[in-house]
Amino acid sequence: MAKSRPKRGAADDALVVFTPSGRRGCFPQGTPLLRAARDLGVDIDSVCGGRGICGRCQVSLNTGVFAKFAITSEKSHLSPVGEVEKHFAETKGLLPGHRLSCAARLTGDVVIDVPAESQIHKQMVRKRADTRAMEIDPLIKLHYVEMSKPGMDDQSSDLNRLKLALAENWQLEDLDCDAGVLRSLSQAARSGETYGGDWKVTVAVREGKLITAVWPGFHDHVFGLAVDIGTTTVAVHLCHLATGEVVGSAGAMNPQIRFGEDVMSRLSYLQQNQDQAPQLTTAVREAVAKLAATAAFDAGIDLTDVIEATFVGNPVMHHLMLGIDPRQLGQAPFAMVTDESVTLMARDLKLSLNPGAHAYFLPCIAGFVGADTAGVILSESPHGSDELTLVIDVGTNAEIVLGDNHRLLACSSPTGPAFEGAQISCGQRAAAGAIERVRIDRDSLAPRFKVIGSDLWSDDPGFSEAIAGIGVTGICGSGIIEAVAEMFLAGIVDASGRIDGQGVNAKRTAHLVPEGRNFNYLLHVGPPELLVTQADIRAIQLAKAACYSGVRLLMDRMGVERVEHILLAGAFGAYIDTKYAMVIGMIPDCDLAKVGPAGNAAGTGARIALLSRQARAEIEALVKRVEKVETATAPEFQDYFVAAMDIPHASHRFPSLAGAVNLPE
Amino acid sequence: MAKSRPKRGAADDALVVFTPSGRRGCFPQGTPLLRAARDLGVDIDSVCGGRGICGRCQVSLNTGVFAKFAITSEKSHLSPVGEVEKHFAETKGLLPGHRLSCAARLTGDVVIDVPAESQIHKQMVRKRADTRAMEIDPLIKLHYVEMSKPGMDDQSSDLNRLKLALAENWQLEDLDCDAGVLRSLSQAARSGETYGGDWKVTVAVREGKLITAVWPGFHDHVFGLAVDIGTTTVAVHLCHLATGEVVGSAGAMNPQIRFGEDVMSRLSYLQQNQDQAPQLTTAVREAVAKLAATAAFDAGIDLTDVIEATFVGNPVMHHLMLGIDPRQLGQAPFAMVTDESVTLMARDLKLSLNPGAHAYFLPCIAGFVGADTAGVILSESPHGSDELTLVIDVGTNAEIVLGDNHRLLACSSPTGPAFEGAQISCGQRAAAGAIERVRIDRDSLAPRFKVIGSDLWSDDPGFSEAIAGIGVTGICGSGIIEAVAEMFLAGIVDASGRIDGQGVNAKRTAHLVPEGRNFNYLLHVGPPELLVTQADIRAIQLAKAACYSGVRLLMDRMGVERVEHILLAGAFGAYIDTKYAMVIGMIPDCDLAKVGPAGNAAGTGARIALLSRQARAEIEALVKRVEKVETATAPEFQDYFVAAMDIPHASHRFPSLAGAVNLPE
């Protein structure tokens, strides 16, 4: 049905309809499309303020008879392509059929399509389709202006004239100005073609309030840095702030590892070596600075074009990056110094980005549930879904979030480092040469495995050649879980976790090796000889029981017996075969199709916070709503823990496993 | 006449009257005086929040029958001195008759005097009695709080618990927190008597919005640093932020002098040596840092107790301290990069005060009328007076302000450095050995003089001995002005400025020494021989003409023929005999009793801005109201300048001089 036609002010006024918004209105002939769009509240981007420089405002003309709009749209209903558009097309290129909306003027009725690229508030792709979309709306906006020149009749300051231009062209009033901008404003304004400068600059304005940076002339690209500080690795992503595109990434080991492999050992290092926190701070800051430089270099970006940074990390990493001594996190009651979001100048973190760059740390939730978990929530948005979702970030502690759009619970459970391959006799971090997949023949009880760095199984032809440069060096977290699960499924390990090396098993295989009164299982003859020991099984039992009982505690508090969706975050989640995690009873029953990795969810959360003001407000409000459940003081936690030590008779408690594995009697 | 008695809520309610405010009200017996005062809006200070620790809330009881309040006030109408007050009196001392208003409770009707020291908003002493008073109201307020301890039942962050305590005890809500505070909060809260800390801290809150610093326990003293960056000297004053008392000062030469004696020569150094501005910035910042350390050390103050700094300086000094390349100030149109007030972190000026200390630069007015002039206006407040006041800050440029409470005009006039003793053949800066006073015998035309460092005239007995360690080294600015004026008054120099060494003069003295077709005047036989040359007279004529014509231009624009008050700021103003300044026609006619030095008015302005929020708002609003008059482009300026070259026939234009000097025919 045709909509009612807007009233024309004059007989020869032109009607314009913008798609996909459908907004429409009548304007005098000669009105630039961009002005019409602005009047109608149609979202079209512009950095240059309608001067035909930036090309952000491109639109395309739909020609034909549009019955539903009751108009005929023709090419001749727009002004011919003029000098400005020709110049732009020649120097920067204009897609066929595209016009600059600041230059094209109405001469008749038209239907104009605004492509997604030309919208200020582009949709941000969240990974889960069932959560509401989020718009790209970075805190930093670029504004190109042409300042008036000073003269004996106008001796007002450079800043005055800049502010005047920003007020006139962009309706930005009452702006503050970072002192760093004052240091570069004079030169930026006075550079350019003519002696004395051409007085054209581009400024970055933060939250519509603060001038944070200035560049000479027209400047189109600014970037943000999303930083994910893990205990083991540090990763950075450089994102284009207007498009959200990741233009560069870099990662490295966290150099703090020399002070301790995991968070607890670093805290105990600090307990024993008073006043050494600044050393750990310097180490991680230098690593971040180096990664930022590497990512920028690889992407061909100048670090001074990086104008905003966001950080996620567990509470200890968070505190150390900020320069806060985290020792109190190692002792009951594990209170953080702050759990609010923190904004400061990037330069105060010794980070050489643009001098006016700000750094934003996502808020934390509780003692061991940090900004990394906030990032996970932002990325996986359990709060945005009807489905009851369980998100587990496995590390030395498992950070666990359970919830839906009604309620969110979180806890931290002390799994210990077994899942990361530590405290396992042949354990190692997930790196080339580490066993990551294990299968055990149900009859011969002989193992076969895969190592990181090769796609072949150990009994495939050519395996030895394939791993010649790598070797078989140890077992990583996902490998040990598969080993334990397969040992259970093959009947080598019983539900109590004991390796049964006698009776029928002993007759079938030479892989069961006695040690005192116990047996170990020989996974790899070597060299090096790799065993799964009875002690390793116990360590995994403790770890998985801690994880499961944390989950159980949250389910209990939520009053549910079942979750609908499970997401395993981080590297561990990426490598593990979720089926085996369920076999050993690390996670509760759930449709296996709905159990999956969350990938680098914390880092994704940092990226989202980089690109969206709304996301920051959302996570800041959310963390206050998250109900923190304390595992250490919950009376039922110990009971759950003890009950969860056994490897479960999966057929009873894990109906979803039916068909996926053959469970032992 | 007795005021009507406030209604008592209950029959035995007590009536309290606070003086000097006269505020009064009825309260239940047992109400602490401080609470009654707060309820009535009586201004009583407190840092500890009523815990009997700070002693800021002391009051005294007035006893007797107060007919005008219709009450009888007796000692027994207050609760007896209890433990808290006894402890305070023993440890910190309590004046006789004084009570802690937080501890003393009403038991009957009383009249309570609130001494000035106990008011938050103490009056600030301005030098001129005729201007309105200004209250001490620093941006930084101290607040002592006792935080809750964290426990397994309250794992909330330290910052959360701090904010809670600030909200409960001080009604401070929605506070931001400087990241630096996060670094010291944990330790501050956990220090103290007991293991694990006593959780008592004092925080500094800036403008009721930002937590900028934290100290363990009760902390009573914070200081501010007022910095006056002159072209020649840099001076700092440390002030107690609650009382305004100057507790320490230090001054030194501006080390930038090695790049040029005056502002113009430094600018020309920078023109010739591109990219050297950072060197000048580093030099002055190091000087300020060193002076701050010296002043703090002398006063026995820890620099971490210095929490705010203010800066004044001419535009070039202002820009260089901020790290802004000031070259554009050396070329028409002399536009500043910014003339607004600038606030930044002191650490961003490489100034090691408290890590959360802020630095505030007073606003500037125009190209050569800087933050120093803003300081002068704040200190001398011509805008606060009915009298039309002229303030002149003499340097390489004379910065001139003319106005009253209706209107303010300002300009800068290029006097050149003659008044500072430069470009004078025997000129030197005002330092020991420099001639500062000159008298010439009207008959013999023989000179006598005083030098800085001795109170004796050169013809007094014992003069040679008195200056044995000093010598007579040159002539400073005030000396050359007196010399020229005395030469005029003695008939040696005519109104056109020509030294008449012939005819009757030549017969009377040997002090007139020919040089080519001109004569010089021998002021000191030497060594070194000190002459006032014909060229010196010309230099002084040019300088005084520039000053006078700037003043005349402002008077012209103001539409007045006379000013009522003249203040000469800075070192020059302190040394000069104002009578002689009038004789040579440097300043306009004015009652000599109303012409005086303004002292270090710029530095005083910096101190006022340190102590008063209101003063900052006032000067920021004022500079926008100041009408800038540009001497370089004003068509009449050149005419005034030419007309002002002659030494005036004072009897006509300077009636105020009658009786002060005998003017030549």
Side-chain angles (χ1 to χ4, degrees):
Chain A
M1 200 186 79
K3 288 190 187 173
S4 71
R5 198 177 166 90
K7 211 171 141 196
R8 294 180 195 247
D12 60 352
D13 271 5
L15 171 65
V16 57
V17 180
F18 288 97
T19 58
S21 67
R23 297 190 183 219
R24 57 215 317 260
C26 285
F27 296 88
Q29 291 202 23
T31 303
L33 285 176
L34 183 59
R35 193 182 306 158
R38 289 273 156 87
D39 272 12
L40 295 171
V42 173
D43 178 25
I44 298 188
D45 200 3
S46 174
V47 169
C48 71
R51 290 188 172 78
I53 301 173
C54 71
R56 292 270 182 97
C57 68
Q58 293 180 35
V59 294
S60 67
L61 177 71
N62 294 314
T63 52
V65 178
F66 292 83
K68 67 172 175 173
F69 303 129
I71 61 175
T72 302
S73 174
E74 289 182 17
K75 196 175 173 189
S76 64
H77 290 179
L78 284 181
S79 60
V81 171
E83 281 311 312
V84 166
E85 287 176 279
K86 269 183 201 155
H87 181 75
F88 185 86
E90 280 161 17
T91 54
K92 305 195 178 176
L94 203 50
L95 287 178
H98 276 221
R99 299 292 301 264
L100 296 183
S101 65
C102 62
R105 293 161 183 276
L106 289 170
T107 58
D109 296 352
V110 284
V111 175
I112 297 294
D113 188 54
V114 182
E117 311 86 74
S118 298
Q119 294 170 11
I120 303 174
H121 299 108
K122 300 164 188 73
Q123 295 286 90
M124 191 143 52
V125 178
R126 286 213 210 189
K127 284 193 300 186
R128 289 178 62 188
D130 57 347
T131 63
R132 71 192 161 79
M134 188 164 274
E135 284 175 345
I136 293 183
D137 178 25
L139 286 80
I140 300 286
K141 298 262 162 67
L142 292 179
H143 299 284
Y144 169 80
V145 288
E146 301 183 354
M147 297 163 63
S148 66
K149 293 181 200 190
M152 289 312 289
D153 55 339
D154 172 16
Q155 297 177 295
S156 66
S157 72
D158 294 355
L159 181 61
N160 270 354
R161 282 174 289 109
L162 174 63
K163 284 189 176 180
L164 203 65
L166 284 166
E168 281 177 1
N169 291 291
W170 297 98
Q171 291 72 52
L172 290 165
E173 310 270 0
D174 296 324
L175 292 173
D176 283 329
C177 182
D178 185 76
V181 172
L182 299 175
R183 294 182 192 119
S184 40
L185 175 57
S186 169
Q187 223 179 334
R190 284 171 180 77
S191 68
E193 298 135 39
T194 57
Y195 175 75
D198 59 10
W199 301 93
K200 297 170 182 169
V201 297
T202 305
V203 297
V205 176
R206 193 172 192 271
E207 296 197 279
K209 284 186 281 194
L210 177 69
I211 304 171
T212 57
V214 61
W215 293 267
F218 175 71
H219 190 90
D220 198 14
H221 296 288
V222 284
F223 302 90
L225 184 75
V227 184
D228 179 5
I229 305 177
T231 309
T232 308
T233 56
V234 180
V236 306
H237 302 285
L238 274 176
C239 304
H240 192 295
L241 281 183
T243 65
E245 184 195 356
V246 176
V247 295
S249 297
M253 295 294 282
N254 186 332
Q256 292 176 344
I257 280 178
R258 65 176 182 270
F259 304 101
E261 286 267 325
D262 55 56
V263 161
M264 289 313 294
S265 56
R266 278 175 225 172
L267 287 174
S268 93
Y269 171 84
L270 290 174
Q271 291 293 356
Q272 288 153 25
N273 301 273
Q274 306 276 327
D275 304 325
Q276 288 302 300
Q279 215 184 327
L280 275 74
T281 293
T282 302
V284 68
R285 286 181 178 175
E286 284 176 358
V288 172
K290 210 179 288 176
L291 289 172
T294 303
F297 181 83
D298 290 350
I301 287 169
D302 195 319
L303 274 179
T304 59
D305 286 344
V306 181
I307 189 77
E308 186 84 12
T310 51
F311 290 81
V312 292
N314 64 49
V316 175
M317 294 303 110
H318 168 275
H319 278 33
L320 283 170
M321 184 70 202
L322 278 170
I324 302 171
D325 189 328
R327 274 178 293 165
Q328 68 193 66
L329 293 170
Q331 299 170 318
F334 314 110
M336 303 190 70
V337 173
T338 182
D339 52 7
E340 295 179 7
S341 68
V342 176
T343 302
L344 72 172
M345 300 305 288
R347 60 180 183 251
D348 288 335
L349 299 169
K350 311 284 180 229
L351 204 49
S352 291
L353 310 176
N354 186 290
H358 287 66
Y360 174 84
F361 286 70
L362 273 74
C364 297
I365 295 162
F368 276 100
V369 190
D372 47 356
T373 307
V376 168
I377 293 177
L378 204 49
S379 161
E380 304 308 316
S381 52
H383 59 291
S385 169
D386 277 337
E387 283 185 339
L388 188 64
T389 302
L390 176 68
V391 191
I392 306 179
D393 197 350
V394 175
T396 308
N397 286 273
E399 277 119 84
I400 306 169
V401 178
L402 175 68
D404 55 21
N405 50 15
H406 294 298
R407 203 174 157 199
L408 275 182
L409 301 180
C411 75
S412 174
S413 196
T415 47
F419 289 149
E420 292 177 314
Q423 293 184 2
I424 299 295
S425 58
C426 302
Q428 69 159 89
R429 277 197 303 274
I435 292 177
E436 58 163 347
R437 297 261 168 274
V438 175
R439 296 289 180 277
I440 296 175
D441 187 88
R442 300 292 182 265
D443 294 322
S444 70
L445 305 186
R448 57 194 183 106
F449 54 81
K450 274 188 181 176
V451 298
I452 297 177
S454 167
D455 284 335
L456 297 180
W457 286 96
S458 56
D459 58 353
D460 285 339
F463 175 76
S464 302
E465 294 72 28
I467 62 153
I470 304 171
V472 180
T473 52
I475 311 175
C476 72
S478 60
I480 189 73
I481 285 175
E482 292 206 3
V484 174
E486 281 282 316
M487 285 165 77
F488 174 69
L489 293 173
I492 297 171
V493 162
D494 65 19
S496 76
R498 203 178 60 83
I499 299 180
D500 179 7
Q502 295 175 310
V504 62
N505 284 344
K507 290 183 195 130
R508 280 150 67 191
T509 182
H511 281 269
L512 288 161
V513 187
E515 182 188 359
R517 295 172 55 189
N518 293 322
F519 287 85
N520 299 329
Y521 180 71
L522 181 65
L523 199 54
H524 180 52
V525 179
E529 184 187 70
L530 298 181
L531 293 165
V532 178
T533 67
Q534 181 64 59
D536 293 343
I537 307 276
R538 296 293 177 218
I540 290 296
Q541 282 179 285
L542 287 167
K544 73 101 182 174
C547 180
Y548 184 82
S549 45
V551 171
R552 197 71 197 76
L553 187 63
L554 292 193
M555 290 171 69
D556 202 41
R557 296 290 162 94
M558 183 70 85
V560 296
E561 283 299 324
R562 216 183 137 67
V563 302
E564 293 165 89
H565 204 122
I566 299 179
L567 291 161
L568 297 171
F572 178 87
Y575 285 113
I576 201 169
D577 184 328
T578 52
K579 176 176 68 191
Y580 289 107
M582 201 179 287
V583 166
I584 66 164
M586 174 184 168
I587 54 175
D589 188 56
C590 183
D591 178 357
L592 277 174
K594 292 259 193 171
V595 183
N600 177 17
T604 302
R607 276 202 293 126
I608 293 172
L610 197 55
L611 297 171
S612 166
R613 283 210 261 194
Q614 179 198 341
R616 294 192 189 185
E618 179 178 313
I619 192 62
E620 286 169 17
L622 259 180
V623 294
K624 287 180 190 147
R625 263 183 45 204
V626 172
E627 299 164 48
K628 296 123 203 154
V629 177
E630 181 49 51
T631 53
T633 54
E636 61 271 53
F637 183 76
Q638 279 307 318
D639 298 336
Y640 286 135
F641 186 78
V642 171
M645 278 294 289
D646 274 9
I647 299 172
H649 292 278
S651 53
H652 298 294
R653 281 160 52 197
F654 295 89
S656 303
L657 280 175
V661 291
N662 284 319
L663 295 164
E665 297 301 305
Chain B
M1 201 187 77
K3 289 191 188 173
S4 69
R5 197 179 166 88
K7 210 172 144 195
R8 292 179 198 250
D12 62 349
D13 271 6
L15 171 65
V16 57
V17 180
F18 289 97
T19 59
S21 68
R23 295 189 185 222
R24 56 214 319 260
C26 285
F27 297 88
Q29 292 200 21
T31 303
L33 285 175
L34 183 60
R35 193 182 308 158
R38 289 274 157 87
D39 272 12
L40 294 171
V42 173
D43 177 26
I44 297 188
D45 200 3
S46 173
V47 169
C48 72
R51 290 188 171 78
I53 302 173
C54 72
R56 291 272 181 96
C57 69
Q58 292 181 36
V59 295
S60 67
L61 176 72
N62 295 314
T63 53
V65 178
F66 293 83
K68 67 171 174 171
F69 302 131
I71 62 174
T72 303
S73 175
E74 289 181 19
K75 197 177 171 185
S76 64
H77 291 180
L78 283 181
S79 60
V81 172
E83 282 310 311
V84 166
E85 287 176 278
K86 270 182 200 154
H87 180 76
F88 185 86
E90 280 160 17
T91 54
K92 306 196 178 174
L94 203 51
L95 288 178
H98 275 220
R99 298 292 303 266
L100 296 182
S101 65
C102 62
R105 294 161 183 277
L106 289 170
T107 59
D109 296 352
V110 285
V111 175
I112 297 293
D113 188 55
V114 182
E117 310 85 74
S118 298
Q119 294 170 13
I120 304 175
H121 300 108
K122 300 164 188 72
Q123 296 287 87
M124 192 143 52
V125 178
R126 287 214 209 188
K127 285 193 300 186
R128 288 178 64 187
D130 57 347
T131 63
R132 72 192 161 79
M134 187 165 275
E135 284 176 344
I136 292 183
D137 178 24
L139 285 80
I140 300 285
K141 298 261 163 66
L142 291 180
H143 300 283
Y144 169 79
V145 288
E146 302 182 354
M147 298 163 62
S148 66
K149 292 181 201 191
M152 289 311 290
D153 55 338
D154 173 17
Q155 297 178 295
S156 67
S157 72
D158 294 356
L159 181 61
N160 270 354
R161 282 173 291 108
L162 174 63
K163 285 189 176 180
L164 204 64
L166 284 165
E168 280 176 2
N169 291 291
W170 296 99
Q171 291 73 53
L172 290 164
E173 310 270 0
D174 296 326
L175 293 173
D176 283 328
C177 182
D178 185 76
V181 172
L182 299 175
R183 291 178 195 124
S184 39
L185 176 57
S186 171
Q187 223 178 333
R190 284 170 179 77
S191 69
E193 300 134 36
T194 57
Y195 175 76
D198 58 10
W199 302 94
K200 297 170 181 168
V201 298
T202 305
V203 296
V205 176
R206 192 172 194 272
E207 296 197 280
K209 283 186 281 192
L210 177 70
I211 305 171
T212 57
V214 62
W215 293 268
F218 176 71
H219 190 91
D220 198 14
H221 296 287
V222 284
F223 302 90
L225 185 75
V227 184
D228 179 5
I229 305 177
T231 309
T232 307
T233 57
V234 180
V236 305
H237 302 286
L238 272 176
C239 304
H240 192 294
L241 282 183
T243 65
E245 184 195 356
V246 176
V247 295
S249 297
M253 296 293 283
N254 186 332
Q256 292 176 343
I257 280 178
R258 65 175 182 270
F259 303 102
E261 286 268 324
D262 55 56
V263 160
M264 288 313 294
S265 56
R266 280 178 222 171
L267 287 173
S268 94
Y269 171 85
L270 289 174
Q271 291 292 355
Q272 287 152 25
N273 301 274
Q274 306 276 327
D275 304 324
Q276 288 304 298
Q279 215 182 328
L280 275 76
T281 293
T282 302
V284 69
R285 286 182 177 175
E286 284 176 357
V288 172
K290 210 178 288 178
L291 289 172
T294 303
F297 181 82
D298 291 350
I301 286 170
D302 195 318
L303 274 178
T304 59
D305 286 345
V306 181
I307 188 78
E308 185 83 15
T310 51
F311 290 82
V312 293
N314 65 50
V316 175
M317 295 303 110
H318 168 276
H319 278 34
L320 283 171
M321 184 70 201
L322 278 170
I324 303 171
D325 190 327
R327 274 178 293 166
Q328 68 193 67
L329 293 170
Q331 299 170 318
F334 314 109
M336 301 190 70
V337 173
T338 182
D339 52 8
E340 295 179 7
S341 68
V342 176
T343 301
L344 73 171
M345 300 306 287
R347 61 179 183 252
D348 288 335
L349 299 169
K350 311 281 181 232
L351 205 48
S352 290
L353 310 177
N354 186 290
H358 286 65
Y360 173 85
F361 285 71
L362 274 74
C364 297
I365 295 163
F368 276 101
V369 189
D372 47 355
T373 307
V376 168
I377 293 176
L378 203 49
S379 162
E380 304 308 316
S381 53
H383 59 290
S385 169
D386 278 337
E387 283 186 341
L388 188 65
T389 302
L390 175 68
V391 191
I392 306 179
D393 197 350
V394 176
T396 307
N397 286 272
E399 277 120 84
I400 306 168
V401 178
L402 176 68
D404 56 20
N405 49 16
H406 294 298
R407 202 174 159 200
L408 276 181
L409 301 180
C411 75
S412 174
S413 195
T415 48
F419 288 148
E420 292 176 314
Q423 293 182 2
I424 299 296
S425 58
C426 302
Q428 69 160 89
R429 276 198 303 274
I435 292 176
E436 57 163 347
R437 298 263 168 272
V438 176
R439 295 291 179 275
I440 296 175
D441 187 88
R442 298 295 182 263
D443 293 322
S444 69
L445 305 187
R448 58 196 182 104
F449 54 81
K450 274 188 181 177
V451 298
I452 297 177
S454 166
D455 282 334
L456 297 180
W457 286 95
S458 56
D459 58 354
D460 284 338
F463 175 75
S464 300
E465 293 72 30
I467 62 153
I470 303 171
V472 180
T473 51
I475 312 175
C476 72
S478 60
I480 190 74
I481 285 175
E482 292 205 2
V484 174
E486 281 282 315
M487 286 166 76
F488 174 70
L489 294 172
I492 297 172
V493 161
D494 65 18
S496 77
R498 204 179 60 82
I499 299 180
D500 179 8
Q502 294 177 305
V504 61
N505 283 344
K507 289 182 194 130
R508 280 149 67 187
T509 183
H511 282 268
L512 288 162
V513 188
E515 180 187 0
R517 294 172 58 188
N518 294 322
F519 286 85
N520 299 328
Y521 179 71
L522 181 65
L523 198 54
H524 179 52
V525 178
E529 184 187 71
L530 299 180
L531 293 164
V532 178
T533 67
Q534 182 63 59
D536 293 342
I537 307 276
R538 295 293 176 221
I540 289 296
Q541 281 180 286
L542 285 168
K544 73 99 183 175
C547 181
Y548 183 82
S549 45
V551 172
R552 198 69 198 76
L553 186 63
L554 292 193
M555 290 171 71
D556 202 42
R557 295 290 163 92
M558 183 70 85
V560 296
E561 282 300 323
R562 216 183 136 68
V563 301
E564 293 165 89
H565 203 123
I566 299 180
L567 291 162
L568 297 171
F572 178 88
Y575 285 112
I576 202 169
D577 184 328
T578 51
K579 175 177 68 191
Y580 289 107
M582 201 179 287
V583 166
I584 65 164
M586 174 183 168
I587 55 175
D589 188 55
C590 182
D591 178 356
L592 276 174
K594 292 262 195 170
V595 183
N600 177 17
T604 302
R607 277 202 292 126
I608 294 172
L610 197 55
L611 296 172
S612 167
R613 282 210 260 195
Q614 178 198 341
R616 294 192 190 184
E618 180 179 314
I619 192 62
E620 286 168 16
L622 259 179
V623 294
K624 287 182 190 148
R625 262 183 46 204
V626 172
E627 300 164 49
K628 296 122 203 154
V629 177
E630 180 50 50
T631 53
T633 53
E636 61 271 52
F637 183 77
Q638 278 308 317
D639 297 336
Y640 286 136
F641 185 78
V642 171
M645 278 294 288
D646 274 10
I647 300 173
H649 292 279
S651 52
H652 298 295
R653 280 161 50 196
F654 295 89
S656 304
L657 280 174
V661 293
N662 284 318
L663 295 164
E665 297 299 303

